[in-house]
């Protein structure tokens, strides 16, 4: 290859990288700019939002304030006098944390059974499980509500917690893919050492699959944390509202106070953002390993 061709190929390579990074930068900006607007509006004083049209991207220091965040916990309250947003945060964690922990145990045990145990009807049961993933959740919404209402369980946390504690079909599917990649020789060696099936699950399968379990736990936590429709349907008492419902009522009643609405959005973003920041390694590793083992 002549020097001219080498130089031309190198120019094409550099030009391709420039175009690629330019497109990726534009994609990143389209994602980050809305978040910047939310955050900077939350820290603006009310007069700064009301008097500046068009939007001021970089407000002056005297136009910034923490007043909106203070109002979240002092001004906007429920009938008991407690902060609506703070009550919503507590209620959300009361629901989501047990759901995530117990649901992951249920899903991982089921995945272990489908991957490594031999029993009649296993393939049929797994096929039925996959079939449930094809049904839109909205299809079961009315029958579920009628059932829980007949049992006088509406306006309680039971409809929001009990189904989730039995695990998720998608989680079972992904964990089964991971468990299937663990050699059967490991299981056979554990049996020779005298471990029972529960012991094999607890001492071998679970430690080997922690990245995949963490990844699915994060996805489950975020899904439960962001759930809006189910709490809206089942909960009627303001003191039982989750964060998403509290923010909806809060933003609807204080729409003129735009910084307070955006402060509520920032507060709602914090838990999931912190989870992704501190658990990013396990999340990415779990997704990658699960895909490879599948």
């Amino acid at each position: 290859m002549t020097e001219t061709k080498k130089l031309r190929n190198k120019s094409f390579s550099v030009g391709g990288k420039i175009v690629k990074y330019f497109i990726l930068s534009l994609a990143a900006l389209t994602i980050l700019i809305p978040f910047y607007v939310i955050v900077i509006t939350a820290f603006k004083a009310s007069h700064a939002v009301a008097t500046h049209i068009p939007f001021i991207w970089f407000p002056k220091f005297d136009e910034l304030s923490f007043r909106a965040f203070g109002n979240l916990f002092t001004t906007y309250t429920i009938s008991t006098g407690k902060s609506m947003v703070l009550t919503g945060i507590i209620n959300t964690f009361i629901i989501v944390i047990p759901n995530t922990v117990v649901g992951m145990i249920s899903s991982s045990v089921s995945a272990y059974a489908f991957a490594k145990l031999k029993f009649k009807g296993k393939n049929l049961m797994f096929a039925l499980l996959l079939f449930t993933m094809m049904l839109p959740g909205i299809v079961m919404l009315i029958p579920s509500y009628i059932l829980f209402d007949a049992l006088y369980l509406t306006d309680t946390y039971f409809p929001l917690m009990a189904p989730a504690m039995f695990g998720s079909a998608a989680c079972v599917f992904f964990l089964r893919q991971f468990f299937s990649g663990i050699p059967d020789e490991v299981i056979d060696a554990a049996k020779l050492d005298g471990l029972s099936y529960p012991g094999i699950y607890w001492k071998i399968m679970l430690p080997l699959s922690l990245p995949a379990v963490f990844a699915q736990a994060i996805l489950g936590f975020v899904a439960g944390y962001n759930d809006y429709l189910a709490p809206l349907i089942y909960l009627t008492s303001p003191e039982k509202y989750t964060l998403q419902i509290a923010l909806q009522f809060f933003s609807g009643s204080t729409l003129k106070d735009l910084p307070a609405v955006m402060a509520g959005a920032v507060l709602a973003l914090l838990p999931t953002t912190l989870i992704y920041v501190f658990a990013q390694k396990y999340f990415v590793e779990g997704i990658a390993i699960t895909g490879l083992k599948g």
Side-chain angles (χ1 to χ4, degrees), residues 206-226:
L206 202 57
L208 289 176
S209 60
L210 281 182
V213 171
F214 275 131
Q216 294 301 315
I218 292 171
L219 293 175
F221 179 89
V222 173
Y225 180 84
N226 290 328

Side-chain angles (χ1 to χ4, degrees), residues 221-249:
F221 179 89
V222 173
Y225 180 84
N226 290 328
D227 189 16
Y228 173 77
L229 185 59
L232 178 65
I233 292 175
Y234 290 113
L235 302 179
T236 57
S237 301
E239 62 271 12
K240 296 179 182 178
Y241 286 160
T242 61
L243 177 60
Q244 307 304 328
I245 305 301
L247 288 177
Q248 172 61 29
F249 279 82

Side-chain angles (χ1 to χ4, degrees), residues 37 39 41 56 94 98 115 137-138 208 215 232 241 257 275 277 283 285:
V37 172
V39 173
T41 304
I56 301 300
I94 290 174
I138 196 70
L208 289 176
L232 178 65
Y241 286 160
D257 191 357
I275 287 175
V277 168
F283 179 74
E285 182 181 353

Side-chain angles (χ1 to χ4, degrees), residues 2-70:
T2 64
E3 293 296 328
T4 304
K5 289 184 178 180
K6 289 182 179 180
L7 184 61
R8 185 182 303 169
N9 291 339
K10 185 176 181 180
S11 300
F12 279 125
S13 177
V14 173
K17 288 183 179 180
I18 292 174
V19 173
K20 179 175 67 175
Y21 287 125
F22 177 75
I23 294 174
L24 290 175
S25 299
L26 288 180
L29 286 175
T30 58
I31 296 173
L32 294 176
I33 287 177
F35 286 100
Y36 175 79
V37 172
I38 292 173
V39 173
I40 202 64
T41 304
F43 284 100
K44 283 184 178 180
S46 295
H47 70 276
V49 177
T51 56
H52 289 306
I53 298 176
F55 183 79
I56 301 300
W57 292 92
F58 304 100
K60 299 177 181 178
F61 183 77
D62 59 352
E63 295 176 339
L64 298 177
S65 170
F66 288 93
R67 177 200 60 83
F69 290 92

Side-chain angles (χ1 to χ4, degrees), residues 96-161:
V96 174
I97 291 178
N99 284 359
T100 303
V101 174
V102 180
M104 281 307 306
I105 294 174
S106 301
S107 297
S108 58
V109 169
S110 301
Y112 166 56
F114 282 123
K116 295 300 181 183
L117 302 188
K118 296 180 181 179
F119 53 92
K120 291 183 179 180
K122 181 176 76 171
N123 293 333
L124 177 60
M125 293 175 63
F126 189 66
L128 291 175
L129 180 71
L130 295 182
F131 176 75
T132 63
M133 296 173 60
M134 304 176 191
L135 290 175
I138 196 70
V139 172
M140 301 301 298
L141 190 61
I142 294 178
S144 297
Y145 180 83
I146 293 175
L147 173 64
F148 288 121
D149 187 55
L151 297 174
Y152 301 99
L153 292 173
T154 54
D155 199 27
T156 69
Y157 294 146
F158 188 87
L160 305 176
M161 298 181 70

